[in-house]
Amino acid sequence: MELDKLQRQWDGFPEVSMEERPVLSSDLEKMVVRNPLSDAFYLRRKLVSRLIVFAMLWLADGWLLRQQWRGERNDIYLYAAFFLLLSYSLFFHLRLLLFADYPTLLGLPLVPFLGKLEIIMDKYIASFKLLSAIIAFTLLVSFEQWMARANPALFVAFLQRDWSKWLLVAFLILSFDILLMHTVLPRYRKLLETVRKYRQGIIAAKARNEIWTIK
């Protein structure tokens, strides 16, 4: 439905130069709608999904942090760090979602459209660093909560080794970062490079045409 609406919107524009049209020129339509750029254009669903998951984790960790504050506070720093990480991640993704502003994005001329799409992709790739940290903290907190119920004696011993807990968090963050770097991120980096090259190619072609016009 979105693509049909997009095509009807495009068909309503007069015949002007490719650089002056809103996003769907005949060339760009082939890339944005049918080829890998469609993944860049439809990041909104992924951003919204992340925001929902992060908000649920934020509420859960907020409740655990409150329990720690009212209790013995023997693990409050871990939960406080996770709470701050989730708060910043929510802010980061919400700001990126608002910056993407897809209805406005559709009304941009071709080159500004690709430039903004490039920024969105670059920020989205950077967000995987936050995702690695959130996964690591989530696993550790979940493991602690399970251990507190399944084996309280082991849980108490684990709490006493505060330094090992932070080393485990660092190891998990690094491990997930490397995993995402070699599995998910190559596709998005290739996509970003495609957007960048296409935008630079249009600018270079336009510059050459202007030079020939002057001559």
Side-chain angles (χ1 to χ4, degrees), residues 145-206:
Q145 292 299 310
W146 170 82
M147 191 164 49
R149 291 165 175 77
N151 195 331
L154 184 61
F155 175 65
V156 172
F158 185 71
L159 287 178
Q160 293 173 351
R161 296 173 175 260
D162 193 57
W163 59 272
S164 61
K165 185 190 312 176
W166 292 105
L167 282 177
L168 181 59
V169 169
F171 172 77
L172 287 173
I173 292 173
L174 185 61
S175 299
F176 282 112
D177 190 41
I178 293 173
L179 179 65
L180 292 173
M181 190 183 302
H182 289 88
T183 54
V184 179
L185 287 180
R187 179 167 65 94
Y188 287 108
R189 288 204 177 101
K190 183 178 179 180
L191 185 56
L192 174 61
E193 192 61 27
T194 301
V195 176
R196 183 177 291 127
K197 286 182 178 179
Y198 192 70
R199 181 179 64 85
Q200 291 172 350
I202 292 173
I203 293 173
K206 186 177 180 181

Side-chain angles (χ1 to χ4, degrees), residues 23 32 36 83-85 114 124 135 138 141 147 191 203 213:
V23 286
V32 174
F83 187 81
L84 291 174
L85 174 65
L114 290 172
Y124 185 73
I135 294 173
T138 301
V141 169
M147 191 164 49
L191 185 56
I203 293 173
T213 302

Side-chain angles (χ1 to χ4, degrees), residues 106-150:
L106 287 176
L108 291 175
L110 180 56
V111 174
F113 165 77
L114 290 172
K116 194 167 184 178
L117 201 60
E118 184 180 334
I119 295 172
I120 294 169
M121 286 299 306
D122 187 55
K123 297 294 184 184
Y124 185 73
I125 290 172
S127 72
F128 280 90
K129 299 288 184 183
L130 292 172
L131 186 61
S132 299
I134 288 173
I135 294 173
F137 271 93
T138 301
L139 286 178
L140 184 59
V141 169
S142 301
F143 176 70
E144 274 199 357
Q145 292 299 310
W146 170 82
M147 191 164 49
R149 291 165 175 77

Side-chain angles (χ1 to χ4, degrees), residues 70-136:
R70 299 176 63 181
E72 297 180 1
R73 304 186 184 183
N74 48 18
D75 208 18
I76 193 169
Y77 293 113
L78 176 69
Y79 292 96
F82 191 27
F83 187 81
L84 291 174
L85 174 65
L86 287 168
S87 299
Y88 177 74
S89 298
L90 283 169
F91 168 75
F92 182 94
H93 284 80
L94 183 60
R95 188 177 64 170
L96 181 58
L97 183 64
L98 294 175
F99 176 78
D101 189 16
Y102 284 83
T104 302
L105 199 61
L106 287 176
L108 291 175
L110 180 56
V111 174
F113 165 77
L114 290 172
K116 194 167 184 178
L117 201 60
E118 184 180 334
I119 295 172
I120 294 169
M121 286 299 306
D122 187 55
K123 297 294 184 184
Y124 185 73
I125 290 172
S127 72
F128 280 90
K129 299 288 184 183
L130 292 172
L131 186 61
S132 299
I134 288 173
I135 294 173

